[in-house]
């Protein structure tokens, strides 16, 4: 009886993103996947054939308009990369703001539980809102 070979797994191939793919196919690495800078599509496997097929089938006009190695092509690539960077920074700021709002609500809940008071007591709520302001706007 012959032994069956185990299937190869993608994780075992140890593929890495190559910097030359940025210039050739307008892809960058983001969160362990290849991101197309033109259409924001994620390709999960770092294989030149996958990136090339995506670029040739969906963005053939870009290849004709911006010949590889020209200054215009490099300028377009840097512009697209900076747009992706600004977009990710904006999302990080929104996430951080959401985390601070959640933290502020936890502080209010903590004060309520610790004081064993209802919401309608004035001084108690004043202290709760002071904690909220301290969390959301520390320099205020």
């Amino acid at each position: 009886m012959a032994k069956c070979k185990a299937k190869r797994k993608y994780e075992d191939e140890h593929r890495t993103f190559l910097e030359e793919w940025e210039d050739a196919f307008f892809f960058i690495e983001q969160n362990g996947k290849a991101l197309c800078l033109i259409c924001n599509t994620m390709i999960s496997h770092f294989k030149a054939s996958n990136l090339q097929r995506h670029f040739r089938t969906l963005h053939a006009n870009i290849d004709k308009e911006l010949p590889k190695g020209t200054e215009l092509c490099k300028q377009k690539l840097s512009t697209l990369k900076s747009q992706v960077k600004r977009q990710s920074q904006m999302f990080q700021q929104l996430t951080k703001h959401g985390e601070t709002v959640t933290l502020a609500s936890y502080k209010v809940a903590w004060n309520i539980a610790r004081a064993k008071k209802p919401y309608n007591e004035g001084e108690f709520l004043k202290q709760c809102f002071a904690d909220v302001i301290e969390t959301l706007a520390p320099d205020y």
Side-chain angles (χ1 to χ4, degrees):
M1 187 176 235
K3 289 185 179 179
C4 292
K5 289 186 178 180
K7 286 181 92 175
R8 287 188 324 178
K9 293 184 180 178
Y10 177 75
E11 294 81 25
D12 296 337
E13 294 181 14
H14 304 292
R15 292 184 183 267
T16 58
F17 186 82
L18 300 178
E19 295 295 321
E20 62 199 38
W21 293 341
E22 287 183 4
D23 298 327
F25 309 122
F26 284 86
F27 273 89
I28 60 170
E29 181 182 6
Q30 189 173 46
N31 299 330
K33 295 184 179 183
L35 172 70
C36 177
L37 293 172
I38 300 167
C39 64
N40 292 331
T41 302
M42 297 289 258
I43 307 276
S44 60
H45 299 304
F46 294 138
K47 290 175 70 174
S49 60
N50 290 349
L51 305 180
Q52 182 180 20
R53 181 176 52 246
H54 172 87
F55 185 73
R56 298 253 189 263
T57 57
L58 298 176
H59 311 299
N61 59 341
I62 300 290
D63 201 19
K64 294 174 186 172
E65 293 172 6
L66 302 171
K68 301 295 179 217
T70 61
E71 191 62 36
L72 186 60
C73 181
K74 291 177 184 177
Q75 191 176 28
K76 181 72 171 175
L77 179 66
S78 66
T79 302
L80 291 171
K81 284 169 65 174
S82 67
Q83 286 175 349
V84 168
K85 185 176 181 180
R86 275 188 273 128
Q87 184 181 24
S88 67
Q89 287 174 344
M90 182 190 69
F91 283 124
Q92 288 173 352
Q93 288 174 349
L94 289 174
T95 303
K96 184 177 180 184
H97 178 70
E99 289 173 355
T100 56
V101 169
T102 304
L103 180 62
S105 70
Y106 286 158
K107 284 188 174 186
V108 170
W110 169 254
N111 286 335
I112 291 170
R114 189 179 60 194
K116 297 179 186 174
K117 302 268 184 175
Y119 279 110
N120 59 359
E121 247 182 67
E123 281 300 312
F124 172 67
L125 283 179
K126 184 177 174 183
Q127 178 62 39
C128 290
F129 287 122
D131 289 344
V132 168
I133 294 298
E134 180 183 316
T135 303
L136 294 178
D139 53 341
Y140 183 67

